[in-house]
Amino acid sequence: MPEVGRNRTGTDEILEAANRIFARDGLGASMREIAREARVADAVLYRRFPTRDDLVFRLLADDERKLRLQIEEGTTLGHPEGILFGWLSEVNRFLLRYRGLAEAVLRGLSTPDSPWKPFATHLVDLTRQHIERARSNGSCRPGIWPREMLIISVSLVWAGECVRPFWEDGVREPVNDAEIDRWLRLVLAGFEQP
């Protein structure tokens, strides 16, 4: 039951609970369950975060800032497998945080009125910066566009979330970053013999 009569802001508790619930249940998790886990009234949750997307954006803000800092500091630029792989691998790790996040970003890339459009557009801009740096050092050919590269990369995470439960090996664990990195290597390298 929500705690009543206690003077507490609830915001930290809501964010901690939402992180746990979204990590367990994905972005489709119940707002009521989050309020219950945070031990706050539903009204408190909705006063601070009117929509589920508002809550998710707040949770992702710190991770998104870390991604942006990687560009400013050049952290992914020295990746042994190349600038573009390093960046897209980091984006995919970010998307694996919550099941359904890749799908939300894809909606933002394809639906003009999606609340995810500004977030997805920002990821495209960051990807553009990495592609430009990769081109400047000769590791990325012309004709690669940031939006399409991001769509391909994000689609790998989304596909992993969709197909993993049906794989013949009987494994029921969620797709992980090592699998997504392997798929990303295949995409970036192509399938033809050199």
Side-chain angles (χ1 to χ4, degrees):
M1 282 304 290
E3 292 182 20
V4 219
R6 223 179 121 193
N7 185 11
R8 61 188 233 161
T9 64
T11 301
D12 290 340
E13 291 81 1
I14 290 169
L15 292 172
E16 290 169 10
N19 186 49
R20 285 190 302 273
I21 300 294
F22 286 142
R24 183 187 75 202
D25 299 341
L27 293 188
S30 159
M31 292 289 275
R32 178 163 289 186
E33 176 70 16
I34 292 168
R36 187 178 13 250
E37 177 82 9
R39 302 184 64 164
V40 299
D42 291 357
V44 171
L45 172 63
Y46 284 106
R47 192 168 33 253
R48 291 191 177 58
F49 303 100
T51 69
R52 182 187 337 262
D53 288 338
D54 292 330
L55 181 54
V56 174
F57 292 145
R58 174 71 180 273
L59 286 169
L60 296 177
D62 286 340
D63 285 347
E64 190 272 335
R65 275 192 290 278
K66 289 176 192 170
L67 283 175
R68 195 173 56 245
L69 279 174
Q70 287 179 343
I71 284 192
E72 292 168 6
E73 297 171 356
T75 308
T76 58
L77 299 182
H79 195 281
E81 293 185 67
I83 293 169
L84 195 51
F85 176 87
W87 167 248
L88 294 174
S89 179
E90 286 302 315
V91 169
N92 288 344
R93 278 177 179 66
F94 171 76
L95 295 174
L96 284 167
R97 179 172 176 181
Y98 303 129
R99 192 175 63 255
L101 184 53
E103 182 181 355
V105 170
L106 286 171
R107 263 195 322 272
L109 289 167
S110 63
T111 310
D113 60 345
S114 168
W116 286 87
K117 184 169 182 57
F119 186 83
T121 301
H122 183 64
L123 286 178
V124 170
D125 291 339
L126 295 174
T127 302
R128 176 177 294 109
Q129 292 176 40
H130 276 80
I131 287 174
E132 288 169 1
R133 288 178 174 165
R135 280 188 186 136
S136 72
N137 78 3
S139 65
C140 182
R141 68 178 174 80
I144 303 294
W145 301 103
R147 188 173 186 279
E148 68 187 5
M149 195 74 260
L150 186 63
I151 288 171
I152 290 167
S153 186
V154 172
S155 294
L156 295 174
V157 175
W158 177 76
E161 291 176 351
C162 292
V163 303
R164 183 63 179 196
F166 305 104
W167 285 4
E168 293 178 11
D169 65 6
V171 174
R172 296 288 180 244
E173 296 173 7
V175 68
N176 61 50
D177 56 343
E179 291 170 315
I180 298 298
D181 278 355
R182 180 179 179 279
W183 299 350
L184 183 58
R185 281 185 195 93
L186 286 170
V187 169
L188 292 178
F191 296 96
E192 297 177 0
Q193 287 284 354

